[in-house]
Amino acid sequence: MGIFTSKQQPEPAPCSLLTVKIIKIKNLRKADLFTQSDCYVNVWLPTASLKRTKTQTVNDTKDPVWNESFHFRIQNQVKNILELKVCDEDKHTADDHLLTVFFDVSKIQLGETVRLSFQLNPQGNEELEVEFTLESSPDVPEKIFTNGVIVSREVACLEVQLDKGRVKSESKFTLSVDGSYEEAKNLTLHSWLCPAAPAKFHYVKFNQSELDIELRRRVLCPASRERNETTTVHLTSFPVEEKVTIPPNKTFDLSVKSKDWTQGLLFKRPKEIDVRLGYDLCSDEKNFLKKRKQVVAATLKNILHLEQDLKDHEVPVVAVSTTGSGMRALAAMYGTLWGLQRLKLLDCVSYITGSSGTTWTMTDLYEDADWSYKDLGEIIKNARKQAAKSKMSAFSLASLKTYHKELCQRTIAGYKTSFIDLWGLMIEAMLNDGNNNHKLSDQRRAVNRGQNPLPIYMALNVKDNVTTKDFREWVEFTPYEVGFLKYGAFVRAENFGSEFYMGHLMKKLPESRICFMQGMWSSVFSKNLLDAWHSADNSEDFWNRWTRDTVTEIEEVPDLPEQPHEIPTRMFTPAGGLSNALRDILTDRPAVSKYHNFLRGFQMHNEYMQNQQFSKWKDTILDESPNELRDPTDHLELVDTAFFFDTSCPPLLRPERKVDIILHFNYTGGSQAKPLERASTYFSEQGIPFPKTILNDEEMKNLNECYVFEDTDNADAPTVIYFPLVNDTFQRYLAPGVERSTAEMSLGNVDVSSAFSPYSTRQVSLQEEDFNKLLNLTNYNVQNNANTIFQILHKTVERKKQVQGSQIVS
């Protein structure tokens, strides 16, 4: 087992002092029919403070004037987006939200005072006037960790000691620090005890954090109701490492001490983070590739009849990519791998990626540390038995009681459970004879010598009340680590699901059993109504008009010098109540898989939009809205990647993996060409090297068993050898070159596409005859196109030799 080591070093990064002066609004729009607005401005900079502040309310005027100033201490390396929310105050109903201006603070240069007029509505001469001043902070530079996309801020530890003081009876307190890891704690002080143990909070040292203390008084009768006693302590108002007693005039005594969270007593530097920041492969995967290349090189020399051993740079990286739909994908993948093994091609593969049903096959195989060296025919026997057995017991009352008991234990352990976890337990019951204690990190035993390809699984992180089309983030899972392709942030596989704050592991939870991972990777129940609409009809305009808020770019006067990393000023105008209600209905997901967010607390780097690695995967409307992009959500919401497009290629296109050949096997129902075509179009739009995979109408009507797609103009694009799920020559041939007898013709009749196919995604069982037919079909399709695979392998080896030779000459 590899050891996770972080070589990341903290960087000193100075803070600045920002003053925001809200001056006035001219020609403000009306919120009420008969009167002018009673206007105030809510001022919020979430990267500096989680508490919102506001101006006074100016009543009944279209030209309110405030001249009120607000002060923030900001980290210059962070993307600071100021939100100015203009509201109309109502006495008897909720305040009306008129608009919000989003302003990138990096437009203001250090040492400047700039007065800006935001053009809210040029036609109506509606303007918001604000003055900004940016000054140096006298504080020592903050020590941050960053990869140029996300930032881990310096964390301090607060200790709060409460004494009873003049309170004689039992006292109950609520202590809270917004934005801290702990958020809030409840304490009870008993009259017969010494002072309670200090309460601890971990918070961003250079944020404008506050400690709120509430003494809850017992009410004996409604007529004598007393208000709770509250105290607020500004954590920036007292020195670090010194114990301060406050306040002396309260009925309880309070002492507060804040200290730097350092790497032990001997090392006075910020505590190292437990999230790996960086886009490079982890050291474990690099070590795996070195070992795997030795296996691949020896195999290629044998099957390609090479005269000399291949050098390390001449060994191509070959990957198997699969798509999935339930039991059909499970059986089909076994046949594919069996065919590759018979051709000795399985030992040429360095990566296997899967989604949905193929993850069921992969997790089964990787329980055996040497599965690819064993006869897959024997392994398949058990899979066939599990596929054919009745699944009724998995849904019985006794099973449901067992599931409920384990889910309760999972909740007690610290996980947030959902129906997807129940689905994972059902998958386990359908595919096993008992509980399977295997975990993702256990699969390291199957790759520790480079003896098998490295498995990679995929999921999408989504947001509540947002469609998958509008927001999704690729998350990959390997036996070594779990991480975001877009952010370049990874945690050890055994720590996925544990609680993190600002990159630090705060609470270790037991690693999930593999069945809970299977439920997440094949979460067919997470689709909302808008996702279903997009799947059925790509014309999204109608629904978007009725469900999206309005966000427009606006100008400020005078024009400021443009910075390459700045985000344009935008104005948000909320949709009406009907649109909000409709959006809630359409975007509500029945169930998602929820895990603690290991990116909790991270903030976006000031120049994150210019990072080339981030740009490869930024593809949604929220990617230019950093306040929403990395909001302080406690949980990730993970769904099946098929909700976007059904392919498991994305992790193979990380340039660090240098994949040369992708053997892409499609097991989905419906169109066999459209999923890969959509993926190819997506990669092209993202600037990710990938060949065009478009087939003409005639080719789509009569699909072959195998296609080769190449981009001869881009050496970085992998060669894709694509296998659609079709029953072509298998109908007439028992094996490549061996024709079927009349009695064997029925065995070649495999219905993979009609409405009456036994391989429907809804099927949870496959009879042995149907399992064998599909198994033999995919096995045959691989073997019947062996020459194509060998030719591409030989061609790729020769190309890599030539490239290296030309580099040596130059």
Side-chain angles (χ1 to χ4, degrees):
M1 182 182 297
I3 299 175
F4 178 73
T5 57
S6 173
K7 295 182 180 179
Q8 300 160 117
Q9 296 298 323
E11 302 175 7
C15 293
S16 296
L17 301 178
L18 173 71
T19 300
V20 180
K21 185 177 182 181
I22 309 298
I23 299 173
K24 63 183 178 181
I25 295 181
K26 293 169 53 180
N27 300 310
L28 177 65
R29 66 194 68 183
K30 293 175 62 175
D32 302 318
L33 185 60
F34 299 108
T35 62
Q36 298 292 339
S37 297
D38 301 323
C39 184
Y40 65 87
V41 179
N42 190 303
V43 183
W44 190 38
L45 187 57
T47 49
S49 174
L50 288 183
K51 291 207 171 183
R52 300 172 187 263
T53 54
K54 61 187 288 290
T55 66
Q56 298 295 317
T57 300
V58 179
N59 294 320
D60 195 22
T61 178
K62 67 174 183 176
D63 299 308
V65 177
W66 293 280
N67 289 314
E68 293 186 40
S69 295
F70 303 85
H71 306 279
F72 302 95
R73 180 168 55 181
I74 65 172
Q75 170 51 244
N76 298 322
Q77 293 296 312
V78 165
K79 178 57 73 177
N80 297 291
I81 302 294
L82 179 70
E83 298 188 17
L84 303 174
K85 184 178 179 181
V86 181
C87 299
D88 170 55
E89 187 177 273
D90 290 323
K91 294 182 179 179
H92 305 295
T93 60
D95 293 351
D96 296 314
H97 177 194
L98 302 182
L99 59 96
T100 299
V101 173
F102 295 91
F103 178 73
D104 187 348
V105 173
S106 65
K107 293 184 176 187
I108 308 300
Q109 300 302 302
L110 190 64
E112 283 187 343
T113 295
V114 180
R115 188 165 179 160
L116 296 177
S117 177
F118 296 105
Q119 307 299 295
L120 307 179
N121 179 11
Q123 288 76 23
N125 294 320
E126 185 182 31
E127 300 176 1
L128 168 62
E129 200 166 311
V130 184
E131 184 179 89
F132 298 92
T133 301
L134 191 64
E135 302 171 287
S136 297
S137 170
D139 297 313
V140 296
E142 180 179 8
K143 295 180 176 64
I144 64 171
F145 293 88
T146 183
N147 61 358
V149 172
I150 55 177
V151 177
S152 170
R153 304 281 300 274
E154 192 170 341
V155 175
C157 182
L158 178 73
E159 293 184 356
V160 183
Q161 178 73 61
L162 281 172
D163 297 333
K164 289 185 63 63
R166 294 186 295 279
V167 178
K168 303 303 180 185
S169 60
E170 180 179 274
S171 306
K172 294 184 178 181
F173 294 84
T174 297
L175 286 71
S176 59
V177 178
D178 286 346
S180 68
Y181 163 69
E182 293 80 3
E183 290 288 350
K185 287 188 174 183
N186 293 319
L187 293 180
T188 300
L189 296 183
H190 300 279
S191 58
W192 45 271
L193 283 180
C194 296
K200 292 187 177 181
F201 294 89
H202 296 83
Y203 68 100
V204 180
K205 177 182 176 181
F206 287 85
N207 263 16
Q208 294 168 248
S209 301
E210 296 177 346
L211 168 66
D212 293 322
I213 303 133
E214 181 180 34
L215 170 59
R216 294 176 302 204
R217 298 185 179 279
R218 182 179 299 175
V219 178
L220 300 178
C221 65
S224 61
R225 183 181 298 274
E226 289 188 70
R227 296 185 63 184
N228 294 341
E229 184 175 334
T230 61
T231 298
T232 297
V233 180
H234 299 279
L235 300 184
T236 56
S237 63
F238 56 90
V240 175
E241 299 291 351
E242 292 185 19
K243 190 172 183 179
V244 180
T245 301
I246 47 176
N249 59 337
K250 293 288 182 179
T251 56
F252 58 89
D253 295 329
L254 168 69
S255 58
V256 180
K257 181 180 181 180
S258 178
K259 60 182 180 180
D260 293 333
W261 203 24
T262 58
Q263 194 72 30
L265 296 175
L266 299 177
F267 303 99
K268 294 299 182 180
R269 64 173 184 265
K271 191 174 183 296
E272 290 183 358
I273 60 175
D274 302 293
V275 174
R276 184 175 72 86
L277 297 182
Y279 289 89
D280 199 5
L281 303 180
C282 68
S283 58
D284 288 316
E285 186 171 339
K286 290 179 180 178
N287 291 333
F288 160 80
L289 286 173
K290 288 181 181 179
K291 298 173 184 177
R292 187 62 180 173
K293 278 194 173 185
Q294 296 176 3
V295 176
V296 174
T299 304
L300 286 175
K301 182 181 179 182
N302 181 30
I303 65 175
L304 297 182
H305 309 293
L306 303 175
E307 295 181 357
Q308 297 179 337
D309 292 340
L310 290 174
K311 298 177 182 177
D312 187 70
H313 63 267
E314 297 170 345
V315 180
V317 178
V318 182
V320 166
S321 177
T322 62
T323 65
S325 292
M327 297 299 290
R328 174 179 67 243
L330 176 142
M333 187 176 185
Y334 277 115
T336 293
L337 296 177
W338 199 13
L340 292 173
Q341 186 186 58
R342 288 180 169 183
L343 295 171
K344 300 191 183 302
L345 286 169
L346 194 52
D347 289 336
C348 300
V349 176
S350 295
Y351 293 104
I352 294 180
T353 63
S355 66
S356 198
T358 58
T359 65
W360 304 349
T361 301
M362 293 167 63
T363 52
D364 178 51
L365 289 172
Y366 279 89
E367 290 183 35
D368 188 332
D370 297 296
W371 68 266
S372 66
Y373 289 92
K374 298 181 177 180
D375 180 7
L376 280 180
E378 292 299 315
I379 298 175
I380 290 169
K381 286 181 181 179
N382 181 63
R384 181 167 45 232
K385 182 188 76 170
Q386 297 296 335
K389 75 178 184 182
S390 171
K391 304 300 190 297
M392 293 302 296
S393 62
F395 306 97
S396 67
L397 181 59
S399 294
L400 291 175
K401 289 181 179 179
T402 302
Y403 302 154
H404 180 264
K405 181 179 179 181
E406 179 159 2
L407 291 177
C408 288
Q409 294 172 344
R410 186 169 169 82
T411 302
I412 293 171
Y415 285 95
K416 188 167 185 176
T417 57
S418 71
F419 178 78
I420 302 303
D421 297 297
L422 175 61
W423 169 236
L425 291 170
M426 291 177 175
I427 292 174
E428 178 182 55
M430 290 189 289
L431 301 179
N432 297 272
D433 292 326
N435 279 7
N436 184 347
N437 292 319
H438 198 64
K439 302 177 181 66
L440 179 61
S441 64
D442 293 336
Q443 295 183 8
R444 293 173 190 165
R445 293 195 293 267
V447 293
N448 61 359
R449 305 187 310 276
Q451 70 270 40
N452 298 301
L454 183 71
I456 307 177
Y457 310 88
M458 288 294 293
L460 288 177
N461 181 47
V462 297
K463 283 186 181 292
D464 190 30
N465 290 333
V466 181
T467 68
T468 308
K469 195 173 183 66
D470 284 341
F471 181 81
R472 71 261 157 188
E473 296 175 329
W474 301 101
V475 184
E476 71 168 34
F477 299 75
T478 75
Y480 300 127
E481 57 182 16
V482 178
F484 284 88
L485 273 62
K486 184 165 70 177
Y487 300 114
F490 302 86
V491 295
R492 297 296 289 174
E494 61 269 28
N495 291 335
F496 175 69
S498 295
E499 294 184 27
F500 287 79
Y501 176 72
M502 204 59 76
H504 302 279
L505 178 61
M506 306 298 292
K507 181 180 179 182
K508 178 73 171 74
L509 271 60
E511 185 180 358
S512 295
R513 295 197 297 118
I514 201 69
C515 66
F516 295 111
M517 300 286 100
Q518 291 174 323
M520 172 182 59
W521 296 327
S522 57
S523 53
V524 295
F525 306 100
S526 301
K527 185 174 291 189
N528 58 36
L529 292 178
L530 266 186
D531 287 335
W533 174 269
H534 290 316
S535 299
D537 184 347
N538 262 340
S539 64
E540 62 202 57
D541 294 341
F542 172 78
W543 290 112
N544 286 342
R545 281 200 302 269
W546 284 94
T547 60
R548 280 184 178 171
D549 298 303
T550 302
V551 179
T552 56
E553 291 187 13
I554 61 173
E555 296 180 352
E556 60 264 349
V557 178
D559 287 334
L560 297 176
E562 289 190 7
Q563 305 293 327
H565 55 269
E566 74 178 38
I567 291 179
T569 303
R570 293 186 172 95
M571 183 177 69
F572 167 89
T573 306
L578 178 61
S579 294
N580 288 331
L582 181 61
R583 179 174 55 203
D584 290 343
I585 294 171
L586 294 175
T587 58
D588 182 56
R589 288 185 173 85
V592 293
S593 187
K594 295 196 174 186
Y595 285 84
H596 289 291
N597 184 2
F598 60 85
L599 295 186
R600 182 185 168 198
F602 277 101
Q603 296 177 355
M604 302 306 299
H605 191 273
N606 190 34
E607 299 182 14
Y608 79 98
M609 287 293 291
Q610 274 56 56
N611 188 286
Q612 291 183 353
Q613 295 283 14
F614 179 86
S615 297
K616 285 187 175 71
W617 305 105
K618 67 175 180 67
D619 60 355
T620 70
I621 62 174
L622 294 188
D623 286 325
E624 294 188 16
S625 304
N627 290 357
E628 293 182 86
L629 191 63
R630 285 266 42 88
D631 58 15
T633 51
D634 291 338
H635 293 87
L636 304 174
E637 299 193 351
L638 299 167
V639 301
D640 193 333
T641 57
F643 288 166
F644 184 44
F645 57 66
D646 201 355
T647 178
S648 56
C649 278
L652 302 177
L653 303 180
R654 287 178 59 185
E656 299 78 20
R657 291 199 165 110
K658 301 177 182 178
V659 174
D660 298 291
I661 301 171
I662 298 177
L663 302 175
H664 193 300
F665 298 93
N666 185 69
Y667 309 132
T668 60
S671 172
Q672 294 295 304
K674 286 295 184 184
L676 185 61
E677 182 181 321
R678 283 196 292 268
S680 175
T681 301
Y682 171 80
F683 296 136
S684 175
E685 292 172 347
Q686 297 304 118
I688 299 172
F690 197 82
K692 292 183 179 179
T693 61
I694 299 175
L695 302 177
N696 60 42
D697 292 341
E698 187 60 33
E699 289 174 319
M700 292 178 65
K701 290 178 183 177
N702 301 285
L703 288 171
N704 297 330
E705 297 164 346
C706 178
Y707 294 89
V708 176
F709 300 109
E710 297 177 285
D711 186 347
T712 56
D713 296 328
N714 190 342
D716 293 328
T719 299
V720 177
I721 307 177
Y722 181 58
F723 290 80
L725 185 60
V726 296
N727 185 16
D728 189 11
T729 59
F730 183 68
Q731 299 176 68
R732 304 185 304 277
Y733 290 88
L734 181 65
V738 181
E739 292 191 22
R740 293 184 183 277
S741 65
T742 304
E744 294 170 330
M745 283 296 180
S746 62
L747 298 178
N749 183 21
V750 188
D751 180 6
V752 295
S753 58
S754 79
F756 304 100
S757 170
Y759 308 109
S760 166
T761 305
R762 297 185 298 273
Q763 295 293 334
V764 294
S765 294
L766 275 180
Q767 297 304 311
E768 287 194 8
E769 179 182 359
D770 295 324
F771 186 99
N772 287 336
K773 282 185 175 182
L774 187 56
L775 179 83
N776 291 329
L777 169 64
T778 53
N779 180 358
Y780 169 87
N781 282 353
V782 170
Q783 296 195 64
N784 195 45
N785 294 277
N787 287 338
T788 299
I789 301 175
F790 287 136
Q791 288 171 8
I792 295 300
L793 281 170
H794 196 280
K795 179 180 176 181
T796 303
V797 169
E798 291 302 314
R799 176 176 57 82
K800 293 177 78 68
K801 287 182 178 180
Q802 292 172 5
V803 169
Q804 183 65 21
S806 63
Q807 290 176 347
I808 293 174
V809 171
S810 61

